[in-house]
Amino acid sequence: MTSSSAARNQHLDELRALMASHSPPIHALLIPSEDAHQSEYVSERDKRRQFISGFTGSAGLALITTKEALLWTDGRYFLQATNQLSDRWRLMRMGEDPPVEVWIADNLSAEAVIGIDSWCISVDSAQRYEQAFLKNNQTLFQLSSDLVDEVWKDRPPNDATPVIVHPVEFAGRSVAQKMKELREKLQHEKASGIIITALDEVAWLYNVRGNDVHYSPVVHSYAIVTLHGAFFYVDKRKVTTEVKNYMSESGIDIREYDMVQLDVSLLASGQLKGSAVNGSLHMEKDINVAEQSKIWIDSNSCCLALYSKLRPDQALMLQSPITLPKAVKNPMELTGLRKAHIRDGAAVVQYLAWLDNQMQENYGASGYFSEANGSQKKEHLEIKLTEVSVSDKLEAFRAEKEHFKGLSFPTISSVGPNAAIIHYSPEANTCAELDADKIYLCDSGAQYLDGTTDITRTVHFGKPSEHQKSCYTAVLKGHIALDAAVFPNGTTGHALDILARTPLWKSGLDYRHGTGHGIGSYLNVHEGPHLISFRPSARNVPLQASMTVTDEPGYYEDGNFGIRLENVLIVKEADTKFNFGEKGYLSFEHITWAPYQTKLINTALLTPAEIEWVNLYHSDCQKILESYLNVQEKEWLRKATEPITASS
């Protein structure tokens, strides 16, 4: 047993002791992945589920009972969780095993008390759990403090990184424009105010960014907006003079982060005071409370702790009115995203050319272009290539590019069997060395002031098997099919998901993750509300022009290899010959630029139209990127984008 495993076992025992001594006794403790803002990616100090379980994936839910420890996660992480969980844990596979609330209702005793930190659970989840617990008169109990924090003795501190004003030249729209539209929506719904808890929504609305969460340029904050005022709840140590003046000019009051719960109570009673626009004092009680007393919350992102301060009949529970405007990019955001992806594509090409050279020189690989048999690794390597060291080189190429601010998620740099772990995260001391005889999958992205990127390419520097080629080609065919889709307005990502899977299905293959997610504009790399997926939630929101979405089918063989190809797409209006039903039609514009490895393509499996698509994409790729490359890199890209034919 490792020291870390022993420590986690001790933490489990300590946690159970706290549960037993609590009043009332806690029979089971829910530990979500999310923070107080229901974020996908959280700060180090908010990684409670990771701390207690050892599972490092971004999605999952732990349940500690008096005798068992269980972890639920989705198909992206089944293999990773199996590898990371100790024998004291049981993996529960979402979509295959019962959901956590059903398991609790069926397996825990009647009248059991299930504890939860009410800041770390959404209203939707809490209400779903409470409904399931009625079956056996079980209780969801809101804890006054998080029990995990009490056993986490070396929990990271709360750093005070500064809030940053995001210039309109990148944001595309001013705070005044956004607030005007938001207040019009409040009036339309007869709401007196809205509580905004999602970090990217606060950042987007107020045109601010931060560094509180790795990979996501957000600041830990809340916002309350009323018909006459606006409030920004943040650790004031993070507020510079520039930000203070900016907020004042925008009519926004800055409050301490911890004041939000008290102010929600005041908002609920019409007693919330603040400095109104133009400096005069306003009080929300001035509003006709009888006519407009509803408080808007998004029950998917608002935590139970804040919701509990409202009367049940007072909460207007609708999707946040910020979600859709944030997802539908304005022209300046679209321009920025296109430019960011060009620079990012150049960095990826520089990386692939460098890696190709290194694999040939140090590992005797046949290389990116050749399929010659055999490889001869040098006995004394000058440079040992590992999953981490090469991903660091990719980051270095990106860091040279204009407006670079950091990565948009931990790079998935994976060799051979590790590539079959869908969201694999290599660690420097345990990661694999590159191997000329194995597939290499690299899923990576960056944050630039003008856009967020996400790209995946899969390559082989030796001789791929025919099976690997056929799998890669099936993934590519699905990738092309989605890219080339034309569909009527009102179509959801659920309807489009099948396009990317059909070529795999024809061989009895599939993948356990969604096909596409939205991308932020110098914000979160995963952005809703839309997605392309088999999951029922993908039916909720139709795709609209100016949305962004990824196109990333894949195929994974546990213990062997993984393949994924990913581009970012912009939804655009399609120029169709007809317009049946006067609906209007949509299509996609790809903005990601990096070549597909042609030696992994079995061209006999491609249609003439698919071959034409690859050749046109590669031709555009070369034209768009060559000005960013040196002579050797240009030559590498020229060779990588040579036309393919059915007989090649």
Side-chain angles (χ1 to χ4, degrees):
M1 181 187 297
T2 64
S3 58
S4 58
S5 296
R8 274 192 289 275
N9 288 342
Q10 181 181 340
H11 297 145
L12 265 181
D13 295 338
E14 292 171 350
L15 204 52
R16 287 191 172 114
L18 288 175
M19 291 162 58
S21 63
H22 191 275
S23 180
I26 302 298
H27 303 104
L29 180 67
L30 286 159
I31 307 172
S33 301
E34 293 78 16
D35 60 12
H37 306 269
Q38 297 302 296
S39 308
E40 177 187 14
Y41 292 110
V42 301
S43 67
E44 293 301 313
R45 65 184 274 103
D46 289 321
K47 293 182 177 179
R48 297 178 178 91
R49 187 227 64 224
Q50 177 178 318
F51 166 78
I52 204 68
S53 69
F55 168 61
T56 61
S58 64
L61 172 68
L63 178 71
I64 313 297
T65 72
T66 55
K67 295 180 179 178
E68 291 190 87
L70 306 96
L71 181 119
W72 277 259
T73 193
D74 62 50
R76 295 172 298 168
Y77 294 111
F78 289 169
L79 190 54
Q80 180 178 337
T82 300
N83 293 338
Q84 291 183 330
L85 294 175
S86 75
D87 56 9
R88 291 188 68 176
W89 286 83
R90 179 161 35 132
L91 173 61
M92 305 295 284
R93 293 170 168 82
M94 290 180 177
E96 298 178 14
D97 293 318
V100 63
E101 68 273 17
V102 174
W103 189 93
I104 289 172
D106 291 345
N107 289 275
L108 296 188
S109 60
E111 302 187 355
V113 176
I114 295 88
I116 185 69
D117 179 346
S118 59
W119 288 96
C120 296
I121 185 171
S122 70
V123 177
D124 273 353
S125 294
Q127 293 185 341
R128 188 173 71 251
Y129 294 168
E130 288 173 333
Q131 186 63 37
F133 296 167
L134 291 174
K135 176 180 176 181
N136 279 320
N137 200 28
Q138 295 163 331
T139 302
L140 184 68
F141 184 84
Q142 297 185 43
L143 297 163
S144 58
S145 63
D146 197 302
L147 297 186
V148 175
D149 293 350
E150 296 186 34
V151 303
W152 193 354
K153 304 302 183 188
D154 58 349
R155 187 179 174 215
N158 194 2
D159 294 329
T161 55
V163 179
I164 302 160
V165 176
H166 191 50
V168 175
E169 65 185 275
F170 298 119
R173 298 176 66 217
S174 68
V175 175
Q177 290 173 301
K178 295 177 181 180
M179 297 276 273
K180 181 177 181 291
E181 291 184 8
L182 176 57
R183 287 184 171 123
E184 288 171 354
K185 291 171 183 174
L186 291 177
Q187 289 178 317
H188 182 265
E189 296 294 342
K190 293 184 166 52
S192 59
I194 180 170
I195 304 164
I196 303 162
T197 58
L199 298 181
D200 63 330
E201 293 189 3
V202 178
W204 181 87
L205 178 65
Y206 288 163
N207 282 347
V208 293
R209 299 294 187 266
N211 292 293
D212 287 355
V213 179
H214 288 319
Y215 312 110
S216 300
V218 294
V219 57
H220 284 135
S221 57
Y222 299 94
I224 292 177
V225 177
T226 68
L227 297 177
H228 300 288
F231 303 84
F232 180 46
Y233 298 88
V234 64
D235 182 340
K236 285 190 176 180
R237 295 178 301 163
K238 302 174 183 178
V239 179
T240 63
T241 301
E242 179 196 4
V243 171
K244 186 177 180 180
N245 293 337
Y246 166 79
M247 289 290 174
S248 177
E249 291 166 5
S250 302
I252 301 166
D253 279 309
I254 301 174
R255 301 284 179 95
E256 279 290 353
Y257 181 79
D258 294 336
M259 283 185 65
V260 66
Q261 194 170 31
L262 172 62
D263 277 11
V264 168
S265 296
L266 294 174
L267 177 66
S269 60
Q271 300 288 331
L272 183 58
K273 299 178 182 179
S275 301
V277 181
N278 301 325
S280 60
L281 188 73
H282 77 264
M283 186 170 176
E284 294 313 321
K285 198 171 183 179
D286 294 338
I287 299 167
N288 189 328
V289 177
E291 291 183 8
Q292 275 183 313
S293 60
K294 292 287 187 181
I295 308 298
W296 193 330
I297 65 165
D298 186 329
S299 56
N300 187 51
S301 59
C302 182
C303 63
L304 183 60
L306 294 181
Y307 170 74
S308 298
K309 297 300 177 182
L310 306 176
R311 298 191 312 273
D313 65 339
Q314 193 175 31
L316 175 67
M317 293 198 286
L318 295 172
Q319 182 184 84
S320 168
I322 294 170
T323 303
L324 203 55
K326 177 167 59 66
V328 178
K329 306 296 187 260
N330 63 56
M332 202 167 290
E333 288 175 319
L334 291 176
T335 297
L337 281 162
R338 291 185 182 101
K339 290 179 177 178
H341 279 81
I342 290 171
R343 297 193 305 274
D344 198 68
V348 171
V349 167
Q350 289 174 309
Y351 171 64
L352 290 174
W354 170 85
L355 187 55
D356 182 21
N357 178 262
Q358 292 295 314
M359 290 300 294
Q360 291 183 64
E361 287 197 356
N362 291 289
Y363 289 78
S366 54
Y368 186 91
F369 303 107
S370 171
E371 288 192 63
N373 270 314
S375 63
Q376 188 63 49
K377 183 171 143 184
K378 286 184 179 178
E379 289 187 15
H380 303 288
L381 286 176
E382 294 179 17
I383 302 175
K384 182 180 178 182
L385 301 179
T386 70
E387 292 166 327
V388 168
S389 70
V390 297
S391 69
D392 288 346
K393 184 66 175 180
L394 173 55
E395 182 175 358
F397 281 120
R398 284 187 162 117
E400 296 171 353
K401 301 297 179 278
E402 185 182 20
H403 300 321
F404 175 81
K405 302 299 289 183
L407 301 183
S408 56
F409 59 95
T411 299
I412 301 169
S413 173
S414 50
V415 175
N418 292 338
I421 303 172
I422 297 168
H423 269 208
Y424 173 71
S425 182
E427 300 290 340
N429 57 344
T430 58
C431 68
E433 187 175 359
L434 264 67
D435 189 325
D437 297 319
K438 293 177 181 175
I439 269 181
Y440 173 65
L441 183 156
C442 186
D443 184 346
S444 65
Q447 295 285 3
Y448 301 91
L449 280 174
D450 51 354
T452 302
T453 69
D454 188 359
I455 175 175
T456 308
R457 290 295 184 264
T458 303
V459 297
H460 199 302
F461 293 103
K463 184 175 176 59
S465 69
E466 290 305 311
H467 174 58
Q468 289 172 334
K469 285 185 181 182
S470 64
C471 292
Y472 181 96
T473 307
V475 171
L476 177 62
K477 286 169 73 72
H479 179 77
I480 294 171
L482 180 58
D483 179 281
V486 179
F487 48 95
N489 269 302
T491 302
T492 66
H494 191 274
L496 296 177
D497 184 73
I498 189 175
L499 297 175
R501 295 181 192 271
T502 299
L504 287 158
W505 286 355
K506 287 180 178 178
S507 297
L509 305 177
D510 204 351
Y511 50 97
R512 285 193 179 102
H513 58 76
T515 301
H517 57 81
I519 292 274
S521 180
Y522 185 38
L523 269 177
N524 293 350
V525 71
H526 292 162
E527 184 176 85
H530 59 292
L531 66 159
I532 299 176
S533 177
F534 58 90
R535 294 187 176 89
S537 56
R539 296 191 185 104
N540 297 343
V541 180
L543 297 182
Q544 295 183 31
S546 298
M547 282 180 166
T548 58
V549 69
T550 59
D551 172 5
E552 50 178 315
Y555 173 65
Y556 313 89
E557 282 191 7
D558 290 357
N560 193 358
F561 66 88
I563 295 164
R564 184 162 62 254
L565 298 171
E566 177 184 20
N567 285 351
V568 172
L569 311 176
I570 292 173
V571 185
K572 64 176 184 177
E573 293 181 359
D575 183 17
T576 55
K577 184 177 180 180
F578 302 104
N579 185 18
F580 181 81
E582 301 300 317
K583 289 181 175 181
Y585 284 72
L586 300 171
S587 60
F588 293 118
E589 168 197 350
H590 46 249
I591 60 173
T592 301
W593 302 106
Y596 305 95
Q597 190 177 28
T598 55
K599 84 172 185 185
L600 269 171
I601 301 173
N602 181 345
T603 55
L605 300 177
L606 296 183
T607 65
E610 289 166 340
I611 289 174
E612 182 182 3
W613 186 97
V614 171
N615 288 337
L616 179 59
Y617 177 89
H618 277 167
S619 175
D620 289 342
C621 197
Q622 184 182 3
K623 293 172 188 173
I624 288 168
L625 299 182
E626 63 180 1
S627 65
Y628 292 85
L629 308 175
N630 64 30
V631 174
Q632 291 81 11
E633 292 160 350
K634 283 180 183 177
E635 176 56 26
W636 187 93
L637 180 60
R638 184 200 62 75
K639 195 171 181 181
T641 56
E642 286 178 348
I644 58 172
T645 63
S647 58
S648 65

